[in-house]
Every structure is written in structure tokens, then in C-alpha cells.
Amino acid sequence: MSAKKPGNLIIGQSGGATAVINASLVGAVEAALADQRIGGIYGMHHGIEGLLKEDIIDLGNQPNSVWSQLLHTPSAALGSCRYKLQEHDLERTIEILRRYDIHYMLYIGGNDSADTAHRLAGAARQSNYELQIISIPKTIDNDLPFTDHCPGYGSAARFLAQATQDSTMNTLSIPWHYPVKVIETMGRDAGWLTASAALGKRSESDAPHILLLPEKPFNEQSFLTQVEDIYKQLGFVIVVVAEAMRNEKGNALGSSGQAGMDAFHHPLLSGAAQYLVELVKRELKLRARFDKPGDLQRMSSTHISAPDRDEAYLVGKMGVHALLAGESDKMITLVRDAQAPYHCTTGLAALSEVANVQRLMPDEYLNASKTMVTQAFYDYALPLIGEPLIHHTQLEMTRIRS
């Protein structure tokens, strides 16, 4: 299809929502509204699943004020889904797009959403239907390949880094009550989000003291030894663990174990933090408790990173520009400038190389034991969380003697 031929655009959001996914929607809509080569601007209500139900929203007819407000609103305004397209869905999807004269599509999401977009691009080619599809990256897991980082990660990382420091203050107020605390983060097979909990750490004694990332299988004895050593030195221990942590046999930690599978056959896991708490209590005879921030790490509007929001807007905007330039079956990427100060431009990656591929943390970002991050990780991640974190002050415990 000619890049200059007018056509209707449809946009969808998919997968786990983030604090800045709506910024990508705003960037895309505002870019589309500004270009006469785009006809109608539609939204899928609850992603590809909504499109299959023909649950379609008119985005071009929204009040003008909604976009500036939505820029700062967490979660997925269009509604999200975790639906894997079946073979019989492909033909129906193309038929629906044809009926609504939709020739441009943006799908905002992570690995699985890239797979959906790639399969639809292939189905359109097979059907000889003129359709251009661009994937807009989004995931707090930060595990998409070919992009420096993923929109959504910076804000979630900021939340976890600050939450770890804040929660540690409670432990410090009465360390003998629960001297061991375990904080459980989201994250499937990559440890980017768990690692971000260390971004407020300024010295070796600062929390967190142990990171348990999926990149290294859990060894019970090594963990217990490390906890015991830190406890003897500091009197308290803060551990941060990925919810998808597995042992050396590949089994998920936690008595509750696997709680089923999602539509893309990813295991639904729970119980890692509780497992570690029970292990410490049983083997080390230390009182322990856990914190599970859950959806707060995705949704905290008070912890939105300004660079994260700006880049989420940028990739949405550039998605429209890519469509109008004739691109298809690609994902927008963020490309970090090599020179300071921190700045990103955008590029493109083929969806055939992105779909269902995960990027794990590189070895240079982790210490030898893979239980703490290195300076290279701080250099990489700190620019993504925006303004400096709040660092708390403690009294100097100078005792008065009679």
C-alpha cells in the first residue's frame, strides 16, 4: 500500500498494563490526528480479543482535554488482554479489518503482543490485504530484545527502588522483631525488575543485601549461608526475589508453586517470598516476613519516571511515523546515545526477531555470585528512573553516659 494513501488506523493495548502505557497511546493518537493521511482513528477495547468481538472505540471523537490528562494516567485506558490468536482467528481478524477499512495498526505490548502483531502481518500478506502493523514496546519486565530498554520499566524500577528503601526503614526501627525481610517483585524469566530494587543502595551495608534473580538458579544452602553472614554483621537482612525464581531442578519456589498457565503458556507463579520466609524461620530460627507490592509496582502514578513517560509517548508517536513511511511487521526500538547526557532516539527491529524472545540481564551487570548488581547496571538503569530517589536520614546513636 502507498504510504500516502489515506487509511483508517486502529490501536490496541495488550499484556500487563504499566504506569506509562497510556502515554504511548496519546503519542500515537496525537501524531495521527496531526496527519491527513490517517482517516479514522479507532481503538480495540481489550486488545485483539476486543477486535475479534468488534468492540471498537472511536478515538478520533474524544474530547481534546482527554489526551493531556491520559498522559499522566496509569493502566491501559483502552483495556488490555492476554489472548493468543488461534489459527481460525486470523482470517476473521483480517475480515473485520477489511470491513472497517483499516489499513494501519499499532499494537502496544511486550513479547507476546509482538507475536500477535507478527502473525497478523503474515496473515494480511497471505490474504493480499494491504495492512501495515507496527509494534510499540511496553513491559515492566524490560526483556524485549533490540531495544535499549522498554517503556514502563523506568517507572516500575523507580517504585521498587524507593519502596525497598522505605520498607527497610520499618525494619531498622525494630530489627529484632523481624530481622529478615523478603520483598517479592514481578518478572518472568529476566531479573531486570528485581535488580532495580538496588538502585537506592549507596553502600554495601545498605539494603537490599541479596538479590535473587531468575538468571541464577536458587541454591538453598548458599542462600542460608549468605543470610546468616549478613545477619551476624548487620543484625538484619533485606532480600529481594523475583516471583519466577526457580531452584536448580527448574522448579518454582513456593509451597503454592505453579498456579496454572496463561494463554501464551507462561506459568503463573506465586509463593517465592513466602517460601524463603519459611526456609529462614525453619533453618536459621530467625523471625522473617515478606512484602509483595503486586500491582502497585505497575500502577503507581506517584512514582512515574519523567523520562519513561516521555519515551513512552515518543515510541507511540514514532509508530505512526513508521506506518506512514511504509514500514510494517516491525517494532519501534529505543536507541541510547553513547555520549552524555542521557538521551534516546528510536529505531526499528523486525518482529520476526522480536516475537517470543526474551533478553536476560548481561553478566557484566551482576557480581560474581549473581546476587547483587555492578556499577555497570547503575550506569545503565539510573537514567531511566528520572529524578534522584529520596534517601532517608538516620540519627547518630551517640549515647549519653552519666
Side-chain angles (χ1 to χ4, degrees):
M1 161 177 178
S2 168
K4 295 183 179 180
K5 181 179 178 181
N8 295 333
L9 165 69
I10 194 164
I11 308 171
Q13 296 172 312
S14 181
T18 79
V20 299
I21 188 174
N22 287 330
S24 294
L25 174 62
V26 174
V29 171
E30 290 189 343
L33 287 170
D35 200 300
Q36 294 183 348
R37 290 173 291 176
I38 300 290
I41 307 171
Y42 306 144
M44 310 176 206
H45 191 207
H46 296 292
I48 197 68
E49 195 168 7
L51 180 59
L52 285 165
K53 298 174 182 177
E54 297 190 55
D55 191 355
I56 298 171
I57 299 167
D58 185 355
L59 295 178
N61 197 32
Q62 300 289 322
N64 289 334
S65 61
V66 76
W67 304 115
S68 60
Q69 295 173 37
L70 206 58
L71 184 66
H72 303 275
T73 303
S75 191
L78 281 173
S80 189
C81 72
R82 292 189 184 274
Y83 182 77
K84 185 176 178 67
L85 280 175
Q86 306 301 307
E87 285 302 316
H88 64 269
D89 291 328
L90 294 170
E91 184 178 349
R92 170 162 170 73
T93 303
I94 299 302
E95 186 273 327
I96 293 170
L97 295 173
R98 191 189 301 271
R99 189 145 36 85
Y100 286 87
D101 195 29
I102 294 167
H103 294 281
Y104 300 120
M105 178 184 289
L106 293 177
Y107 208 40
I108 309 169
N111 313 74
D112 301 328
S113 305
D115 173 74
T116 297
H118 178 54
R119 293 178 64 201
L120 278 177
R125 285 192 296 268
Q126 289 184 357
S127 301
N128 293 316
Y129 182 65
E130 294 178 295
L131 178 69
Q132 292 168 230
I133 300 179
I134 293 292
S135 176
I136 305 299
K138 172 267 358 161
T139 175
I140 64 169
D141 290 351
N142 200 41
D143 60 352
L144 289 170
F146 303 108
T147 185
D148 179 79
H149 57 280
C150 304
Y153 174 66
S155 297
R158 182 177 183 84
F159 171 88
L160 280 170
Q162 191 67 67
T164 299
Q165 297 305 307
D166 293 350
S167 183
T168 297
M169 297 305 292
N170 185 64
T171 300
L172 287 172
S173 71
I174 185 167
W176 58 86
H177 192 51
Y178 286 104
V180 179
K181 175 175 285 179
V182 181
I183 300 172
E184 183 179 297
T185 74
M186 291 178 170
R188 190 180 300 155
D189 296 311
W192 297 98
L193 202 54
T194 306
S196 71
L199 290 175
K201 186 180 176 77
R202 294 182 293 179
S203 69
E204 188 175 348
S205 61
D206 285 345
H209 306 112
I210 302 172
L211 300 175
L212 297 178
L213 306 99
E215 280 81 356
K216 181 183 179 181
F218 177 75
N219 179 278
E220 185 175 292
Q221 192 53 55
S222 295
F223 170 74
L224 290 170
T225 298
Q226 195 173 4
V227 169
E228 190 170 34
D229 289 346
I230 295 169
Y231 173 71
K232 287 178 179 178
Q233 178 186 355
L234 300 177
F236 73 105
V237 187
I238 306 296
V239 180
V240 183
V241 61
E243 64 182 359
M245 196 67 196
R246 295 175 173 83
N247 61 24
E248 291 166 316
K249 295 181 179 179
N251 299 322
L253 301 189
S255 57
S256 57
Q258 188 169 314
M261 308 282 281
D262 68 13
F264 289 85
H265 302 290
H266 303 306
L268 302 174
L269 304 169
S270 62
Q274 185 171 353
Y275 170 86
L276 295 176
V277 163
E278 296 302 325
L279 178 65
V280 166
K281 290 161 63 177
R282 182 178 69 249
E283 300 297 329
L284 299 180
K285 311 303 180 191
L286 293 173
R287 288 170 62 86
R289 65 181 300 169
F290 64 83
D291 288 343
K292 294 178 69 168
D295 285 343
L296 286 174
Q297 59 203 289
R298 290 187 180 280
M299 294 294 106
S300 177
S301 61
T302 58
H303 290 82
I304 288 176
S305 155
D308 192 28
R309 182 186 58 234
D310 293 346
E311 290 170 351
Y313 181 93
L314 175 66
V315 294
K317 171 185 172 182
M318 296 309 293
V320 171
H321 290 186
L323 289 173
L324 293 174
E327 299 287 357
S328 186
D329 206 7
K330 305 275 181 67
M331 180 186 79
I332 302 294
T333 62
L334 287 168
V335 182
R336 186 184 302 222
D337 288 351
Q339 304 298 321
Y342 169 80
H343 178 69
C344 275
T345 55
T346 61
L348 290 167
L351 283 180
S352 59
E353 299 183 58
V354 172
N356 301 310
V357 176
Q358 287 185 306
R359 180 183 64 149
L360 304 183
M361 287 192 68
D363 288 342
E364 61 264 30
Y365 287 177
L366 300 171
N367 66 5
S369 67
K370 292 190 175 182
T371 58
M372 190 48 61
V373 295
T374 63
Q375 184 59 46
F377 176 74
Y378 287 100
D379 295 340
Y380 166 81
L382 280 173
L384 309 183
I385 68 172
E387 293 296 317
L389 299 169
I390 298 170
H391 287 291
H392 303 301
T393 299
Q394 297 182 58
L395 293 171
E396 291 189 15
M397 296 301 173
T398 305
R399 268 69 175 187
I400 298 175
R401 302 185 185 280
S402 61

